[in-house]
Amino acid sequence: MSGEVPMGGSELRALTSVRGIAAWMVVLYHIRLSVAGLPDAWVKFFAKGYLAVDFFFLLSGFVIWLSWGPRLREGGWREVPHFLQKRIARIWPLHLVVLGGAVALAVLLAATGRANPAEYPFGELPLHIFLLQNWGFTDRLAWNDPAWSISCELAAYLAFPLLVRAVDWRTLPSWLVAGAAAAFLLILAAVMANQPTLGHDIARFGLIRCLTEFAAGSAICALWLRWRAAPRLPALVAFGFSATAIAGWAFGLPETLAIPFAFAGLLLGLALTAGLRGNPLDAPPLHYLGEISYATYLSHFMLFVVFKLAFVADAHAIPPLLVGLYLAMVLACSIALYHLVERPAQKWVNALAFPRRHSAELRLG
């Protein structure tokens, strides 16, 4: 979940915008069963909102390869500490702030006899502080549930320099790069072959889900770099491939196989068309939603817990007007956290140990 994709001084704004849309799909996924009178068709649609995280993982691999792949390859291991500092600055401060809020809430609930130890296990708190909770050390989501994916992202960041040293996508023919991306996604499908959905048993499968999709995203970036000069035909093929995978899912292909391939094609198609004039995803409001999307993603879950405690009598039948109030609160909280916590903390951490350098660092967090 990281930021803007630069391209020769400009930006692939469409990808930033899509990240904002995906973050709000996760928000709607988490509240879908609480909205009074929501039609079943919409409940079923939002029930698949967790799949937005798979798009995040692919996009993150794309973004990190674009920003850091050649740089780590050419700069060697001396660039690794700077890379890790940048990534930790991107994800950790806001995570600590939101987790601190969750701890304060848990203490308050414990003091009033309403705490659920399964939701707020203080013995596991050190794992959550250091974003290690989804590395096989726990068997369930706890504290701030969405942070499981940030834990997995941290593992992908640590593994990324090894991927860069192991393979340079720039030196391989396109068919082999595409084949490698497919191989990563096939590994995921094989590991989760007996699971009903990609969101099943996140504590067990979330890490492999992230690592394989992140690696595939890096290969997709390499393809985009080759094809961006003449994007129309490759984009058409990519979107067609994505639509075919979605159709296969509709007709019985496992979600664990079809969706990662569908999102891989979608990501490539969106990247190839991002610079075309008149792209609706370039709209400033959508772009801003993408800029603040990490704050949206990380804060909305705990905010919903607090919202229900403060305003809701029946958590399974929240009136639409109150739902609208909650969504407005998510937006306002996202804006405040982005400008008052996320960006200032990121700049502060980046300035701690290394001199600032010009880089293609993204804000797609």
Side-chain angles (χ1 to χ4, degrees):
M1 294 150 214
S2 9
E4 299 170 352
V5 184
M7 182 178 64
S10 62
E11 177 202 343
L12 295 180
R13 294 172 60 90
L15 295 188
T16 301
S17 298
V18 170
R19 200 171 69 99
I21 295 169
W24 280 93
M25 284 299 299
V26 176
V27 175
L28 295 170
Y29 163 74
H30 280 130
I31 71 170
R32 70 194 187 284
L33 298 178
S34 298
V35 182
L38 187 66
D40 287 344
W42 284 106
V43 172
K44 292 177 180 178
F45 177 72
F46 293 139
K48 290 301 180 181
Y50 64 88
L51 294 174
V53 178
D54 295 278
F55 187 82
F56 284 146
F57 289 151
L58 285 158
L59 180 56
S60 184
F62 183 105
V63 162
I64 299 303
W65 178 264
L66 181 59
S67 296
W68 286 96
R71 182 171 171 178
L72 288 176
R73 186 79 186 182
E74 294 159 7
W77 296 110
R78 68 178 179 273
E79 288 285 351
V80 172
H82 188 60
F83 163 71
L84 293 177
Q85 181 193 25
K86 286 280 191 178
R87 302 321 304 160
I88 289 170
R90 182 67 183 90
I91 65 173
W92 201 41
L94 185 59
H95 161 69
L96 286 182
V97 169
V98 177
L99 181 60
V103 172
L105 176 63
V107 170
L108 178 62
L109 291 176
T112 57
R114 293 182 292 172
N116 183 345
E119 294 177 352
Y120 307 109
F122 280 90
E124 296 178 2
L125 188 55
L127 294 173
H128 291 260
I129 291 174
F130 293 104
L131 285 172
L132 304 176
Q133 71 268 32
N134 223 77
W135 292 17
F137 299 120
T138 59
D139 60 2
R140 65 194 182 283
L141 302 186
W143 292 100
N144 183 30
D145 286 13
W148 74 266
S149 64
I150 311 304
S151 170
C152 296
E153 281 273 340
L154 177 60
Y157 298 155
L158 293 172
F160 182 69
L162 301 177
L163 174 65
V164 170
R165 301 308 297 175
V167 60
D168 186 352
W169 297 128
R170 297 172 300 176
T171 65
L172 301 178
S174 297
W175 67 267
L176 192 53
V177 177
F184 286 124
L185 300 183
L186 288 172
I187 289 170
L188 174 60
V191 171
M192 298 193 69
N194 297 319
Q195 309 309 314
T197 69
L198 283 163
H200 185 72
D201 199 353
I202 289 173
R204 181 181 174 191
F205 294 107
L207 185 59
I208 187 66
R209 187 174 158 196
C210 173
L211 293 176
T212 52
E213 291 174 336
F214 184 97
S218 73
I220 292 167
C221 179
L223 294 175
W224 170 75
L225 287 168
R226 297 173 187 206
W227 298 338
R228 59 179 174 166
R232 295 185 184 273
L233 180 58
L236 185 62
V237 172
F239 284 134
F241 178 82
S242 179
T244 300
I246 291 290
W249 180 41
F251 284 98
L253 275 182
E255 177 178 296
T256 52
L257 174 65
I259 292 301
F261 276 94
F263 284 169
L266 178 63
L267 173 58
L268 181 56
L270 288 171
L272 288 165
T273 57
L276 299 182
R277 183 173 300 177
N279 190 328
L281 292 172
D282 285 344
L286 284 179
H287 179 259
Y288 186 68
L289 285 182
E291 288 192 311
I292 64 173
S293 61
Y294 182 53
T296 301
Y297 179 79
L298 210 55
S299 67
H300 77 275
F301 186 86
M302 291 309 306
L303 186 60
F304 194 46
V305 173
V306 173
F307 179 83
K308 288 186 289 185
L309 289 171
F311 297 106
V312 175
D314 183 356
H316 299 289
I318 303 177
L321 188 61
L322 277 182
V323 172
L325 174 62
Y326 164 71
L327 296 178
M329 289 172 63
V330 171
L331 180 60
C333 185
S334 301
I335 294 170
L337 287 174
Y338 175 75
H339 289 287
L340 300 179
V341 177
E342 181 183 343
R343 296 299 290 162
Q346 185 178 359
K347 292 177 181 178
W348 181 79
V349 174
N350 282 336
L352 284 179
F354 295 92
R356 295 184 66 84
R357 307 177 189 180
H358 175 73
S359 74
E361 181 70 13
L362 312 165
R363 294 202 301 273
L364 277 170

